[in-house]
Every structure is written in C-alpha cells, then in structure tokens.
Amino acid sequence: IMAMHVVYSPHDLGETTHNDKCNRPQERKQLILDKLQTLPEFHLVEHTAVGAWALAELVHTPGMVAFLRTAWDEWVALHERRDPGFFADNAEVYDMIPSFVPFQVAPRDGLQRPGNSVLGAISYYASDRVTPIYPSVAEALEHDLGVVEKAVALSLSSESGLAYGLTTHPGHHSCRDQYGGYCFINVAAVAAALLLRDGGFDRVAVIDIDYHAGNGTASIFYNDPRVFVCSIHMHPDYDYPFTTGFPDQTGGPDAPNGTLNLALQPHAAWEPAYRTAIADAMARAAAHGAGAIVVSMGLDTYERDPVAAPGAGFAIALADYARIGEVIGGHKGPIVVIQEGGYYLPAVADCAAGVLQGIVKSRSQ
C-alpha cells in the first residue's frame, strides 16, 4: 500500500488553550492522530524540531511575524496598562492575565500603522476578537512551521510524494499582514512557497476545501502567476468572511485567472455541486501547469458542523470525503495536505481519514 506521511508535533497534545465552544485545535489534532494511527495507509512522523520564523516571512510581513513572536510577552509586560478593552471574552485567564485581542480592528485606509505599542500592533494586525493571543501561541506557531517544513520535505523525497502536515492552528484566513478567523500563520501558503523554493517547480496550486473562503491564501498569491489558488466555499453573501471570496475575484494584473473562487450556495451536497466544483478545481490546477498541490483541508463542510451561520452550511456526508480525496489524488506530483478547520469533533477524524484515504487510493492505482 502506498503510504502517506503524517507529520505532527506532540508538544501541545493534551493542552487546552481556548475556552471556545467550537475552536478546540489541540483536541482536533489528537482525535485525528488517534484515528490515523490505526490505519495502514499512514506513516506517523513525530516531529519535535521547531521551524525558523523566517519561514513565516516567506508569505507574511516581518512586522506581523515579529508581533506574533513577542506579543504575549509584551502584553504581560504592560502590567497595569493592560486595558480591559483588550481582554478576550471567550478565552482562558492565565495567572490572572486575560488573553489578548484588539480593542478595535483598524480600518485599512492607508492611514493606519502598528505604531510602537503592542496595543497598536494587535489593533493593526488582528482582524477580529475571536483569535486571541495566549501564552504559548508563539511556541505553537514555531512547531507548526516545523511541521509544514518537514511535510514539504517528505512530499519531495518520499516514494509516494504524499504528506499531511497536521498543524495545531489553521492558517488560510491569514493575509500577508493580517491574521484572524482562528488563524495566525498561513501554513498552507508557507507550504506553497517552500514547494516553489525547494521543489524546483515553476508553478504550484493550492486547493482549499474548507467551508470558509481561503481569503488569506488568495490574498497572498493574488498577483503571483506561479501559484494558482482555488477555494471551494460557502458564498460570502451567507457566511464568513462575508467581504471576499466572490467568483469575480479572479487574480491580479500579473496573474489573470490565477484565483478561482467556487462559491457554493447553502446546503450544497456532493451531488451535483461539490462533485462538479472539486473536478473543476483540479482541472484548472492542471491547466495552470501546477507541478505540486497544497490542499487546505478544512472539515467544516460536514453536514453537522456547528460553525455555519444561520441558514447556511453544507450537506457533505461522511462518505463524500473519500470521494473528494480520490479526485485530488489524481494529481501525479507531490501533494501536501495542511490541516485547516473542522469543528464537529465527533466526526472530524473520520472526515479527515476519508479525504486522506481517498488521496492514497488514487495515488496507489
């Protein structure tokens, strides 16, 4: 059986850093690991080395990367200057220091800048109040960078060409200089950049199958002709991120048709909407000449996932995830899968296994 390498860091397994009813990233990682270690198609690779912060600077501004690296320590150092307007509403309190969110999100009108204070920096770099800075966030992100670096290396060196970077935090909502939507560093974008840098490919593609638009990834590569980005998601008229991910956003002047937003309607199911969309995505990636594929694997498309806005949501059944994977696995070059969202914990591991087994099945044929 052709094997897919599953790269993960054990550093935060068993840890809970969010008192959020939906976003439980460490628990999601543990559930997926527990499932995959029982299946013969997967070779688990425990990876304890952290990645260099310079990897994040392949796709993010140095200022935002520096902020993520030091924000918690700077927040702690404010002591009595910690304004309650910056206290997270839904995150744990650590040693009586609340997790850190922006008091307000700065408009992007060209007059804003992060300033010299961590209060200004978080107001500039954060896009919402639901992605808190917590004590071990920098450590988690270093490990996520290490995981994606190792996954890309294994996709390039292994016989199967298949690797899954099981990161703690998703990343696809993070833009070049702004983070949010439970995302900090856009690890899928880092993977694409590494495939270009280390794999010798002229062109690669990112296929985003998360329920929400991969707005950060699209933004980062919007004017980069080397990277085709396709996001299959709920139409932004119905759900987050609401203001981007529209079908008429097709790429910048240097990358015409380099972005494909397949924005589906509420209650989209495998037949016919999703089957057609994933086939279109892979056909366009092939037409782009992508030598390698990055898959942003969000699992919140599941029919019972709790994060959908009222009246929205998809109707993807458990059996459909293997079908999605089989279509993706038709690509002949390296495939790097990166974990994104997925919030219905009783089924998230089975959904992940379905996609990954589908990829392996196609590659083995």
Side-chain angles (χ1 to χ4, degrees):
I1 299 176
M2 192 73 74
M4 174 181 283
H5 293 278
V6 178
V7 186
Y8 71 97
S9 170
H11 82 282
D12 58 356
L13 293 177
E15 182 179 345
T16 299
T17 55
H18 293 75
N19 186 23
D20 184 308
K21 67 179 181 179
C22 291
N23 188 33
R24 316 288 291 189
Q26 293 86 4
E27 293 176 45
R28 176 174 58 218
K29 183 166 79 169
Q30 184 69 70
L31 289 166
I32 293 173
L33 276 176
D34 290 346
K35 176 70 176 182
L36 297 186
Q37 68 184 0
T38 69
L39 301 173
E41 300 96 327
F42 304 104
H43 174 63
L44 270 60
V45 179
E46 183 178 292
H47 188 68
T48 58
V50 300
W53 286 97
L55 295 174
E57 293 186 17
L58 293 173
V59 298
H60 295 296
T61 61
M64 189 176 102
V65 174
F67 166 78
L68 292 172
R69 187 176 186 177
T70 64
W72 179 259
D73 290 340
E74 292 185 57
W75 173 238
V76 171
L78 287 180
H79 299 294
E80 69 278 359
R81 289 188 57 223
R82 284 194 293 271
D83 185 328
F86 290 82
F87 293 178
D89 299 323
N90 63 346
E92 300 284 358
V93 174
Y94 302 88
D95 296 326
M96 303 309 296
I97 301 175
S99 289
F100 184 31
V101 295
F103 181 84
Q104 65 171 3
V105 175
R108 293 295 171 125
D109 60 3
L111 300 178
Q112 316 299 318
R113 60 186 182 191
N116 299 314
S117 164
V118 72
L119 302 179
I122 197 168
S123 301
Y124 184 81
Y125 292 120
S127 65
D128 60 46
R129 289 175 55 87
V130 300
T131 311
I133 297 293
Y134 62 92
S136 57
V137 67
E139 179 187 12
L141 296 177
E142 285 182 312
H143 281 278
D144 282 351
L145 287 167
V147 165
V148 70
E149 184 178 33
K150 182 67 172 178
V152 168
L154 287 171
S155 78
L156 296 173
S157 65
S158 66
E159 180 184 358
S160 71
L162 303 177
Y164 170 34
L166 180 47
T167 51
T168 296
H169 291 293
H172 71 146
H173 295 310
S174 289
C175 304
R176 191 166 295 278
D177 67 345
Q178 196 171 40
Y179 71 92
Y182 299 158
C183 301
F184 296 97
I185 289 172
N186 194 322
V187 283
V190 172
L194 287 173
L195 286 167
L196 288 170
R197 190 189 75 179
D198 301 339
F201 299 105
D202 295 324
R203 294 190 167 202
V204 301
V206 180
I207 307 297
D208 191 319
I209 60 172
D210 193 277
Y211 169 76
H212 303 95
N215 59 299
T217 313
S219 173
I220 288 169
F221 296 121
Y222 200 69
N223 203 37
D224 188 336
R226 301 172 301 167
V227 183
F228 171 71
V229 177
C230 176
S231 177
I232 307 171
H233 54 262
M234 173 56 66
H235 196 291
D237 283 350
Y238 297 95
D239 217 325
Y240 182 92
F242 298 108
T243 58
T244 186
F246 294 98
D248 62 354
Q249 295 173 324
T250 59
D254 292 336
N257 300 314
T259 299
L260 178 62
N261 285 313
L262 296 174
L264 306 185
Q265 295 297 302
H267 318 303
W270 171 252
E271 288 288 1
Y274 212 95
R275 177 182 57 80
T276 301
I278 191 66
D280 287 349
M282 296 306 297
R284 283 284 298 273
H288 178 76
I293 299 286
V294 176
V295 180
S296 274
M297 188 179 71
L299 305 165
D300 39 5
T301 50
Y302 182 58
E303 58 192 353
R304 297 183 65 184
D305 197 276
V307 300
F314 283 167
I316 305 299
L318 186 57
D320 298 329
Y321 287 93
R323 299 181 178 110
I324 294 169
E326 287 174 23
V327 176
I328 294 170
H331 175 72
K332 302 303 182 186
I335 299 175
V336 181
V337 182
I338 299 295
Q339 185 59 46
E340 300 287 359
Y343 307 99
Y344 185 69
L345 295 185
V348 72
D350 289 330
C351 295
V355 175
L356 302 173
Q357 285 179 305
I359 292 173
V360 174
K361 179 181 177 181
S362 282
R363 180 57 58 93
S364 299
Q365 291 175 344

